[in-house]
């Protein structure tokens, strides 16, 4: 572990991601769960970038880029499905 | 500890504060739209500062060691930041529009301008 401050920051960001996961589990409606998943995706990207700096691996940050773009596609797909098709 | 370390700690502190505020706002707000408002804005702002902390760290290591992998780390972090800044508000807008069109109304709302626009047709 090269830089421990980035590691502990990533741990605290992952605690926030766990709080977002509670909203995904206990969300009373479907858009609440989608909001929880969207927040979870953003926090996971932040955690991946911080872990890439903590372990001194650039490949983690590359995976964070791909994860951000794919989670965007997933969010758009769920939103289109929720509003009843392509309208 | 140099001044760069304090800058990195300040950026990481802002990142942690705003990301945790975004997570708590999911549990403290009454309906979908206010939760979306709190969570999306706070986590986007916090992630900007996480990436800035990594960029400052990588630039400082590049200055110290001259290893080109730190330049690669800084540039790829900035690409991740640009991808997140372009996609996050667009996704939030799509979720809000989908939630409104699928019948979830705002709780405690006094005025619903989008509903009036949908009901009144073209202005």
């Amino acid at each position: 572990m090269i830089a421990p401050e980035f590691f502990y920051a990533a741990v605290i960001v992952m605690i926030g991601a766990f709080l977002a996961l509670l909203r995904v589990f206990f969300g009373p409606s479907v858009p609440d769960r989608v909001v929880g998943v969207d927040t979870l995706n953003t926090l996971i990207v932040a955690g991946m970038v911080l872990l890439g700096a903590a372990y001194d691996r650039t490949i983690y940050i590359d995976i964070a880029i791909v994860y951000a773009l794919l989670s965007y596609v997933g969010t758009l797909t769920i939103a289109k499905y929720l509003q009843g098709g392509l309208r | 500890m140099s001044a760069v370390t304090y800058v990195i700690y300040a950026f990481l502190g802002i990142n942690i504060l705003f990301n945790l505020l975004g997570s708590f706002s999911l549990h403290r707000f009454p309906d979908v739209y206010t939760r979306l408002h709190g969570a999306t804005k706070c986590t986007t702002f916090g992630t900007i500062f996480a990436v800035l902390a990594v960029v400052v760290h990588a630039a400082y290591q590049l200055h110290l060691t001259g290893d080109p992998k730190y330049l690669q780390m800084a540039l790829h972090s900035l690409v991740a930041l640009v991808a997140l800044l372009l996609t996050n508000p667009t996704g939030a807008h799509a979720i809000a529009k989908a939630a409104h069109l699928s019948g979830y109304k705002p709780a405690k709302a006094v005025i619903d301008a989008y509903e009036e626009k949908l009901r009144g047709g073209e202005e």
Side-chain angles (χ1 to χ4, degrees):
Chain A
M1 193 181 306
I2 306 293
E5 66 265 24
F6 287 105
F7 181 76
Y8 293 123
V11 167
I12 298 174
V13 166
M14 281 304 145
I15 292 173
F18 179 71
L19 288 175
L21 197 63
L22 288 182
R23 179 50 67 197
V24 179
F25 281 147
F26 301 118
S29 66
V30 180
D32 277 323
R33 294 173 205 264
V34 183
V35 171
V37 169
D38 195 41
T39 311
L40 189 64
N41 288 330
T42 310
L43 291 180
I44 284 177
V45 170
M48 272 188 196
V49 172
L50 288 174
L51 280 183
Y55 287 109
D56 220 356
R57 298 259 195 279
T58 311
I59 189 72
Y60 293 177
I61 298 175
D62 296 344
I63 293 173
I65 298 169
V66 177
Y67 188 84
L69 295 174
L70 284 183
S71 73
Y72 170 63
V73 175
T75 302
L76 278 193
T77 310
I78 295 173
K80 279 295 177 191
Y81 174 69
L82 265 183
Q83 71 183 19
L86 297 172
R87 72 177 156 135
Chain B
M1 287 187 23
S2 62
V4 179
T5 317
Y6 288 115
V7 171
I8 290 173
Y9 279 173
F11 281 175
L12 285 179
I14 295 172
N15 155 45
I16 286 168
L17 176 68
F18 276 89
N19 277 339
L20 284 184
L21 276 180
S23 300
F24 277 120
S25 73
L26 280 178
H27 298 273
R28 296 297 296 162
F29 276 135
D31 68 338
V32 182
Y33 306 99
T34 47
R35 276 172 193 155
L36 190 65
H37 153 84
T40 306
K41 273 194 257 189
C42 283
T43 54
T44 307
F45 190 75
T47 310
I48 288 172
F49 278 91
V51 173
L52 282 185
V54 174
V55 167
V56 169
H57 167 75
Y60 187 51
Q61 293 296 317
L62 178 69
H63 173 68
L64 285 185
T65 62
D67 195 348
K69 80 174 178 181
Y70 290 111
L71 179 64
Q72 188 191 8
M73 179 184 284
L75 290 179
H76 287 201
S77 305
L78 286 178
V79 171
L81 179 63
V82 167
L84 208 63
L85 282 183
L86 285 179
T87 59
N88 227 345
T90 320
H93 179 86
I95 292 172
K97 190 182 173 193
H100 197 285
L101 285 180
S102 65
Y104 294 96
K105 298 306 175 204
K108 305 174 190 168
V110 181
I111 184 168
D112 193 349
Y114 188 50
E115 179 70 35
E116 287 171 6
K117 187 186 170 198
L118 285 182
R119 202 178 294 264
E122 299 301 320
E123 295 280 334

